[in-house]
Amino acid sequence: MQGFFIKFVRNRAPRVGNPGRLVRLEHIPYQKARLVYPPDGEDEPQEVLVGDFPYPDPAYTYRYPVFDPAHPFKYPVSVKYYNIYSFCKDFMSTPRFLGALDWLELAGGLAAILIAYNENASAISLHIESPQSYWDRAEARIKQVCERTGEKYTAQMLEDFKDEAMEKFASNITGRQNAGKYMHTTKFWNPEANNFEGWTVEPLDKKIKDYVDAQIKISNKADAAATSGFGLDPVLSNLIIENKLSSGSEKLYSLKVYNASETAIPDMILCKPLQQYINANFPGTATKVGLYRTIVEAEQNVSPSNRMKENA
């Protein structure tokens, strides 16, 4: 989220005139804290609300002053928001992945799309065209049977006959048991329609390969855009794009560039509350806090006994 809240807790000694000290730091989850808009005459927020947001209970919502590094023992309990500056944002930072949010949704959507496709789109594989004269003759036969039996003819009788006939027809051209078989149909000349009539079965070209390949390309692009939104090289995210596994040298130099360009400012922000804690309790100290990172070297610069393959 490009920022975090820290609570500073002071000892109780200043109540009786003794020197103050910071006794502990507490992390406040980002979703449970909100900055209070600054009052008139102030440019920065002066208070922080801590509660069960977004629907806080007033009985369990607490208001704390903002921690002042220049006067660290001024308040018994105070809170401060530490963040990396976001362009054109006054107080709160904007997550760097916000611009890639749509890509994040696409990155995990390929599996669901293919499942839905297999369940729905792939169900229709054949187009069966039947002659209308066939159904006209069937309707005439049904009416004749109704006249002989004294039963009243209804349109639903023809629909039921169509369903039964199509189920029998489809059962002979679909399914594993019919793989490799053939079907023979004939057409006849209908002088009334001035055209040939007969049954026609045509497979539907759904271009499955083109569709799946397009979705895979979109997913690969989404993966790369999502990791870039977090400021991380796709190589360091262990992504395999277009079936290409990144080489060791690519990972090595990507890691070096990341350590050289992406971690210095986060180091300062993450360690700042702890540094202020130390400076307040030990004025004039030369102690500086930072994150330790192992320097990765190329295998050719490592002695043979210390190389990765020897320690695997």
Side-chain angles (χ1 to χ4, degrees), residues 8 10 22 65-76 78 276 280:
F8 292 81
R10 189 201 67 190
L22 296 177
V66 172
F67 175 75
D68 184 4
H71 303 89
F73 310 128
K74 184 177 180 180
Y75 305 107
S78 55
Q276 291 176 344

Side-chain angles (χ1 to χ4, degrees), residues 224-261:
T227 56
S228 299
F230 284 97
L232 195 62
D233 192 304
V235 173
L236 300 180
S237 303
N238 201 28
L239 289 179
I240 300 177
I241 299 178
E242 296 181 356
N243 297 324
K244 178 185 176 183
L245 183 63
S246 302
S247 64
S249 59
E250 288 179 333
K251 292 184 178 181
L252 173 64
Y253 287 103
S254 294
L255 179 59
K256 287 186 175 182
V257 171
Y258 176 77
N259 287 336
S261 61

Side-chain angles (χ1 to χ4, degrees), residues 170-190:
S171 64
N172 293 322
I173 60 176
T174 59
R176 294 182 180 179
Q177 68 277 9
N178 294 316
K181 295 182 179 180
Y182 68 90
M183 181 181 64
H184 174 261
T185 61
T186 59
K187 291 186 177 182
F188 66 94
W189 177 260
N190 186 343

Side-chain angles (χ1 to χ4, degrees), residues 75-86:
Y75 305 107
V77 180
S78 55
V79 176
K80 188 169 179 61
Y81 174 64
Y82 296 89
N83 66 307
I84 297 176
Y85 171 74
S86 293

Side-chain angles (χ1 to χ4, degrees), residues 36-79:
V36 178
Y37 195 81
D40 294 338
E42 298 289 345
D43 295 330
E44 298 292 333
Q46 303 298 309
E47 293 179 312
V48 177
L49 288 179
V50 178
D52 189 15
F53 291 96
Y55 307 106
D57 185 348
Y60 298 97
T61 301
Y62 305 96
R63 184 185 295 260
Y64 297 103
V66 172
F67 175 75
D68 184 4
H71 303 89
F73 310 128
K74 184 177 180 180
Y75 305 107
V77 180
S78 55
V79 176

Side-chain angles (χ1 to χ4, degrees), residues 23 49 55 92 96 107 112 121 136-137 171 204 217 225 251 273 298:
V23 294
L49 288 179
Y55 307 106
M92 306 290 289
R96 63 169 58 188
D136 293 339
R137 291 193 297 270
S171 64
L204 295 179
K217 290 181 179 179
K251 292 184 178 181

Side-chain angles (χ1 to χ4, degrees), residues 2 51 53 94 149 208 214 252 259 286:
Q2 301 291 96
F53 291 96
T94 301
T149 59
I208 297 177
L252 173 64
N259 287 336

